[in-house]
Amino acid sequence: MSDQDIDDVDRAILYALQEDARSMSSGDIAERTGTSDSTVRKRIQRLESDGVIKGYSADVDYQQSGYQHRMLLYCTASITERGDLVPEILSIDGVVSVQELVTGEQNLLVTAVGESDSDITPVAQRLLEMGITVADEVLVRSHETTPFGGFDSGDGSEDET
């Protein structure tokens, strides 16, 4: 699916789901977009099958759940191997995300959580064992997100059945 395939209604659906996918019903989204409930359901199914919507997950406050340490590990891996390493990195206990970076010397950003520093140290050690260089470690105090404003296209008054 290309950007041209995503119209204002799709963007409004994506924005609404980013705001609160758990309690946002297709009827609520239909009202926002000026479309029918069935249109919203069909669009969500298409966005899911096309891989635009990759899944739904809880936004966990790790500090509130007892994991006081969130560490960002800026890493360098072989450019030809970095994509293949992502699943293995994600399988490391304590790792919650991996991002491939395309500019700069570091080309992977690994986020790990733990109750203490001693929970994060094995993550870095495992990365080193995989042949990945850990260039920098940053302790994160807080992490907040917001829906992407590019999906908030206004009234979404386009109608499709």
Side-chain angles (χ1 to χ4, degrees):
M1 173 174 270
S2 70
D3 190 39
Q4 289 85 352
D5 295 333
I6 297 177
D7 63 14
D8 287 344
V9 173
D10 291 332
R11 286 183 187 90
I13 290 168
L14 293 169
Y15 190 82
L17 291 174
Q18 284 184 318
E19 279 184 314
D20 189 0
R22 184 173 186 204
S23 64
M24 189 73 63
S25 72
S26 56
D28 294 334
I29 298 171
E31 189 174 309
R32 279 181 163 192
T33 60
T35 62
S36 70
D37 188 19
S38 64
T39 295
V40 170
R41 286 194 310 273
K42 287 177 190 173
R43 297 259 188 141
I44 289 173
Q45 287 175 338
R46 180 177 50 84
L47 291 165
E48 289 171 344
S49 66
D50 289 346
V52 175
I53 297 174
K54 294 172 37 174
Y56 302 88
S57 61
D59 183 11
V60 176
D61 184 324
Y62 292 108
Q63 285 187 322
Q64 291 294 325
S65 63
Y67 296 93
Q68 303 302 313
H69 288 75
R70 180 191 298 241
M71 184 74 69
L72 303 179
L73 300 117
Y74 290 88
C75 304
T76 304
S78 163
I79 292 172
T80 58
E81 296 176 358
R82 73 177 173 206
D84 295 335
L85 292 170
V86 171
E88 188 176 352
I89 296 168
L90 286 169
S91 73
I92 299 171
D93 192 34
V95 172
V96 295
S97 75
V98 178
Q99 297 175 55
E100 283 189 69
L101 310 175
V102 294
T103 60
E105 188 174 324
Q106 288 79 45
N107 57 19
L108 290 171
L109 175 58
V110 177
T111 304
V113 298
E115 292 181 56
S116 66
D117 286 336
S118 63
D119 293 330
I120 306 295
T121 302
V123 172
Q125 182 60 42
R126 181 68 184 105
L127 292 169
L128 293 171
E129 290 168 4
M130 293 172 61
I132 297 170
T133 302
V134 178
D136 198 9
E137 299 175 1
V138 178
L139 188 59
V140 177
R141 179 182 202 153
S142 66
H143 175 89
E144 303 298 329
T145 63
T146 189
F148 174 58
F151 294 146
D152 188 14
S153 60
D155 68 352
S157 60
E158 181 180 329
D159 190 14
E160 179 184 309
T161 54

